[in-house]
Amino acid sequence: MWMIICLLFSSGLATLENDRDFKMCGIWRHGNASRNLKYDLKTGCEKIEISANESTLSIRGSITAKCTRSSSIHLDSNALQNQSNFCVLWEPLLDLLIVEVNGNNHILCEPKGLQGSCCTDLSLGDQENASLYGIVKGSTRGDIIRDDVMETYTFKGGSINCKERFCDDASQKSRGANMIEEVVMKSNTTGHVDLPCAQSTVIEMEEGFTGLNLTLPASVASNMIPSVYLPSCLKSKTNIKSKVVCTYYKEQKLFQVGPSDSTLLGDIVGLSVENEIIQNLPEPVKIRFHHIPLPANCSGRCVSWDTKKDKEVNWKYEGCYTFKINERETECQCYHLTYFAILVQVKPRATVRHLEALTFITAVCCAVSLVSCLVLFYWLCKHRKMKKNQTSLVHRGLVVAIFLLCLFLILTGTIANVGNETVCEMTGALLHYSLLSTLCWMAMEVFHTFLLVRKVFSSRPPWVFYMGGFGLPALLVGILLSIGDIYGKKKIVPSENITGPYHMCWMLDSDKSLLAHYIINIGLLAVVVSSGTVMLFLVVKEIRNRSDWKKINVAFLSIWGLTCLFGTTWGLSFLDFGPFSEATLFLFCIINSLQGFFLMLRYYALERIKKKDDSSSGGSSSGPSKQHMLNTHENS
Ligand SMILES: *[C@@H]1O[C@H](CO)[C@@H](O)[C@H](O)[C@H]1NC(C)=O
Ligand SMILES: *[C@@H]1O[C@H](CO)[C@@H](O)[C@H](O)[C@H]1NC(C)=O
């Protein structure tokens, strides 16, 4: 119980004051007759006297920077009372002096801007005793000075640079930036307010405010001062006048650092409207930052710092859009008010050029491929009875794999935006599975052709092919799934608009995923391409001397060449796009997604050649070797 009271008490005190501010409280024991608050204040930095007798509470001294006033205020008296609580508050930075009697505030000195040199650190000087009327339990900062009745308390001040002290204080507090804004708001000025750690512009929005463009105070040495556009919607309908404080912070110390892989670019701008929390603006506030040229591999993003939630203060991306004006200028458009800056991702993040166009092309070409795969699959099944061999089986396997690949490639973007994490993880796994399966079936095709050409006729049971084409990828993906944290929602950032990333369900950017990508994807691709090349070389060597070679070599080479190209490009499209030129980028994308279509073309061309061959040779001269060659065409 005591603990709680103590805690409440101390936390109440902690929020009361800043170090430089002065607060003296006490109980004024007075008579029942009418009472006055009398004051006589002069500029300077000597002392302040707080005294009381039967009828008068009197504040006298010279501690103010600008305020010279002397007068007397009649206090409402309650006949039954013979004592009143009072406090004297002095905020030197603002030149603000308030006397509070029984809960009523009397502002003796009003703030007029922030004071550079000011009188503070008031320390207790002489005191005078009294007998009946006076001040009982006089205290500063909650510490009681004297319990007995005193007539006068005197405090002596010292002159310091208040702005510097204030900035030092603020940089040590977690709410430093808020403190600065509050002080500027309270300083009761419009226009520029200078502090060593920040520069503010205070604007009063009156009825009919139509928006305002402003550059922050020009006295900053560099020419990289941000400019701000305040839209008309900032002015609330309810208040006749409201003040906006726009602050340019020179010290990043006031703000917590961002994520470890990023750094804040120099400038931070804070915006706030008096007594209001501004969110969901219909028109954005625009802040244009000038900065050092960003290296090509770094991406800057506008961030804001929500100080309302004191617990989890951190820079966040939500609520602001980033527009790159040029290398040295970035505009942030934000729909709420708080502190803004640009955060630069130090770890280079891959961005993809022309992402929107590429996505569109992929979708269209994949759709063409899907239809082609269906047609081809139908043909293969129809002709299956006629040719009871493994060729048809290997073709069908590849068609199914490419069909799945195109299907998931079309779906992955949509699912990433609609589905939840688990669904996305499964889709990523399935996409990966179909890619691996396509690569495996390509390897099957190459291997199968090779065996046929080398006249190895021993028939293998179908399950060998199924295991290779569908089983092996399933095993690999199964292992990766059991490891976990491999598949999920991946962001692909277009270089034109880095605030609008494209999501897809694929392998994540984590270290584990990258390792899996390099070992499995690149590894498998390397195996397929290199074995394909070796076998192509061997096959060409084998059949070059045959009599019918001339007739078919063009078709043969072009077709097998295409197969190799397909394999290569599929792999490349999942690597970084970075090093490729624009034209290659689009070409790769088109060729890749049209693979199903090319597969159908190839099959059709082979059928044509075969028919022509059959009719021209009249079917008489062919022996086992002719039949063998036909198989060769078909499989290549
Ligand atoms: C109380 O003090 C004020 C000035 O501090 C003085 O003018 C007044 O005469 C005093 N009243 C009495 C009853 O002593
Ligand atoms: C950038 O992306 C965001 C989010 O998708 C979008 O609202 C904004 O209009 C885009 N900007 C441009 C210039 O395309």
Side-chain angles (χ1 to χ4, degrees):
M1 186 64 189
W2 275 112
M3 272 291 278
I4 295 169
I5 290 171
C6 284
L7 277 177
L8 282 178
F9 189 63
S10 60
S11 68
L13 275 182
T15 57
L16 264 183
E17 297 304 299
N18 301 307
D19 292 345
R20 66 193 181 283
D21 296 343
F22 169 78
K23 182 173 185 177
M24 190 261 170
C25 294
I27 297 164
W28 174 21
R29 196 167 281 173
H30 48 67
N32 290 340
S34 76
R35 295 186 298 277
N36 294 308
L37 171 64
K38 206 171 163 183
Y39 58 93
D40 182 13
L41 298 163
K42 292 192 181 70
T43 60
C45 190
E46 282 160 35
K47 61 176 182 181
I48 182 168
E49 255 178 47
I50 300 166
S51 58
N53 59 20
E54 187 180 358
S55 62
T56 310
L57 178 66
S58 137
I59 317 289
R60 269 188 322 209
S62 55
I63 54 166
T64 64
K66 296 230 172 92
C67 169
T68 307
R69 289 180 74 183
S70 61
S71 184
S72 174
I73 300 171
H74 180 74
L75 298 171
D76 298 331
S77 58
N78 182 336
L80 294 176
Q81 265 182 357
N82 59 3
Q83 62 179 37
S84 304
N85 292 316
F86 78 95
C87 284
V88 178
L89 291 118
W90 166 234
E91 280 193 51
L93 179 64
L94 292 164
D95 214 23
L96 170 69
L97 190 82
I98 299 175
V99 175
E100 183 192 312
V101 184
N102 280 335
N104 296 323
N105 277 343
H106 305 278
I107 299 174
L108 307 190
C109 285
E110 301 230 5
K112 288 194 184 68
L114 301 183
Q115 305 307 319
S117 161
C118 58
C119 195
T120 183
D121 292 334
L122 298 183
S123 58
L124 188 63
D126 303 332
Q127 303 138 59
E128 273 174 45
N129 275 72
S131 51
L132 189 58
Y133 301 113
I135 300 165
V136 193
K137 295 195 171 161
S139 65
T140 49
R141 294 174 184 278
D143 299 328
I144 295 195
I145 307 164
R146 296 285 287 266
D147 271 318
D148 42 350
V149 189
M150 306 295 289
E151 192 188 338
T152 307
Y153 281 97
T154 310
F155 298 91
K156 289 191 179 124
S159 184
I160 61 155
N161 187 330
C162 257
K163 287 182 175 181
E164 260 168 32
R165 170 88 79 91
F166 175 69
C167 280
D168 286 349
D169 278 0
S171 68
Q172 278 154 27
K173 301 255 163 68
S174 65
R175 290 181 67 258
N178 283 67
M179 276 171 60
I180 293 176
E181 247 170 31
E182 278 161 23
V183 153
V184 170
M185 200 74 87
K186 272 164 85 179
S187 75
N188 214 9
T189 44
T190 53
H192 295 333
V193 177
D194 268 338
L195 277 170
C197 49
Q199 279 171 318
S200 297
T201 301
V202 185
I203 288 143
E204 204 153 43
M205 296 184 294
E206 302 191 357
E207 206 95 42
F209 177 74
T210 54
L212 186 70
N213 253 320
L214 71 121
T215 339
L216 288 160
S219 62
V220 189
S222 72
N223 55 356
M224 308 213 280
I225 309 148
S227 58
V228 177
Y229 171 74
L230 305 172
S232 58
C233 55
L234 269 190
K235 170 88 182 64
S236 76
K237 301 276 178 294
T238 47
N239 299 350
I240 297 164
K241 279 184 181 181
S242 46
K243 250 193 241 170
V244 195
V245 174
C246 182
T247 310
Y248 170 75
Y249 295 92
K250 290 178 239 172
E251 291 191 27
Q252 295 183 8
K253 267 193 295 187
L254 290 165
F255 299 89
Q256 293 191 343
V257 288
S260 58
D261 64 341
S262 25
T263 179
L264 279 181
L265 269 194
D267 302 327
I268 298 163
V269 165
L271 287 173
S272 64
V273 172
E274 197 174 16
N275 301 328
E276 276 183 81
I277 294 173
I278 305 278
Q279 277 166 337
N280 304 324
L281 290 169
E283 195 190 338
V285 172
K286 297 175 189 163
I287 305 150
R288 193 172 285 202
F289 290 98
H290 304 255
H291 47 75
I292 48 165
L294 291 180
N297 60 357
C298 283
S299 61
R301 273 194 77 174
C302 298
V303 284
S304 60
W305 187 22
D306 191 1
T307 48
K308 298 296 178 294
K309 283 182 263 162
D310 259 344
K311 291 276 149 35
E312 35 178 305
V313 276
N314 219 334
W315 295 102
K316 55 175 197 177
Y317 297 122
E318 290 85 43
C320 283
Y321 293 108
T322 310
F323 295 89
K324 188 176 168 186
I325 307 291
N326 56 43
E327 224 107 278
R328 293 164 173 274
E329 262 182 275
T330 304
E331 184 167 285
C332 301
Q333 300 195 355
C334 303
Y335 292 83
H336 61 289
L337 293 194
T338 167
Y339 306 98
F340 303 101
I342 311 179
L343 203 60
V344 176
Q345 226 82 34
V346 173
K347 200 161 86 184
R349 177 130 55 91
T351 60
V352 180
R353 289 163 286 155
H354 309 294
L355 187 63
E356 216 166 290
L358 288 175
T359 314
F360 180 73
I361 289 174
T362 307
V364 171
C365 293
C366 276
V368 172
S369 281
L370 279 181
V371 175
S372 306
C373 283
L374 286 177
V375 172
L376 187 53
F377 193 73
Y378 172 74
W379 275 352
L380 287 169
C381 287
K382 218 173 81 179
H383 294 169
R384 185 179 165 195
K385 295 274 156 48
M386 284 154 41
K387 300 180 273 169
K388 270 203 149 189
N389 56 23
Q390 290 161 8
T391 313
S392 177
L393 181 139
V394 175
H395 278 346
R396 268 181 284 134
L398 183 56
V399 168
V400 170
I402 290 185
F403 180 84
L404 290 178
L405 184 56
C406 286
L407 186 69
F408 286 120
L409 210 58
I410 288 179
L411 290 180
T412 182
T414 319
I415 290 175
N417 289 316
V418 175
N420 63 16
E421 287 296 314
T422 322
V423 174
C424 198
E425 192 182 341
M426 292 323 293
T427 312
L430 285 171
L431 179 60
H432 191 213
Y433 171 76
S434 48
L435 175 72
L436 292 182
S437 179
T438 304
L439 287 175
C440 285
W441 278 109
M442 278 176 177
M444 295 287 147
E445 287 253 3
V446 170
F447 188 58
H448 182 70
T449 311
F450 177 72
L451 291 183
L452 279 173
V453 172
R454 296 303 294 261
K455 300 177 191 168
V456 184
F457 281 112
S458 61
S459 186
R460 267 154 295 275
W463 65 262
V464 174
F465 290 100
Y466 287 131
M467 280 310 293
F470 291 130
L472 179 66
L475 181 70
L476 291 174
V477 171
I479 292 172
L480 291 184
L481 271 178
S482 68
I483 291 172
D485 212 16
I486 299 266
Y487 303 109
K489 197 181 285 188
K490 182 189 169 83
K491 253 192 212 168
I492 299 178
V493 185
S495 52
E496 291 88 14
N497 181 359
I498 53 172
T499 41
Y502 171 81
H503 295 279
M504 72 181 277
C505 299
W506 178 237
M507 297 170 95
L508 297 166
D509 280 329
S510 66
D511 290 345
K512 269 196 275 183
S513 301
L514 282 179
L515 200 64
H517 174 70
Y518 284 122
I519 294 176
I520 295 179
N521 297 359
I522 310 276
L524 196 59
L525 193 71
V527 168
V528 171
V529 171
S530 58
S531 64
T533 315
V534 168
M535 288 184 196
L536 177 70
F537 179 71
L538 292 176
V539 165
V540 168
K541 220 174 109 184
E542 174 97 359
I543 64 174
R544 208 172 46 182
N545 299 323
R546 290 188 192 166
S547 57
D548 45 2
W549 160 242
K550 285 256 155 56
K551 243 193 298 181
I552 54 156
N553 60 352
V554 177
F556 179 83
L557 280 179
S558 67
I559 287 162
W560 201 331
L562 265 184
T563 312
C564 287
L565 179 67
F566 293 165
T568 325
T569 48
W570 259 123
L572 286 173
S573 67
F574 284 95
L575 301 180
D576 200 18
F577 279 120
F580 300 115
S581 75
E582 322 271 285
T584 343
L585 196 65
F586 279 95
L587 203 65
F588 273 140
C589 185
I590 292 169
I591 293 176
N592 276 336
S593 4
L594 279 180
Q595 268 204 76
F597 178 67
F598 286 139
L599 204 65
M600 187 182 74
L601 278 189
R602 185 180 76 146
Y603 183 80
Y604 180 71
L606 284 169
E607 288 293 301
R608 284 285 300 267
I609 291 171
K610 199 161 69 175
K611 279 208 184 101
K612 224 166 74 185
D613 250 21
D614 278 349
S615 57
S616 70
S617 60
S620 57
S621 69
S622 62
S625 94
K626 179 77 191 173
Q627 186 55 45
H628 164 215
M629 276 315 293
L630 289 181
N631 282 338
T632 309
H633 311 163
E634 197 188 308
N635 280 287
S636 52

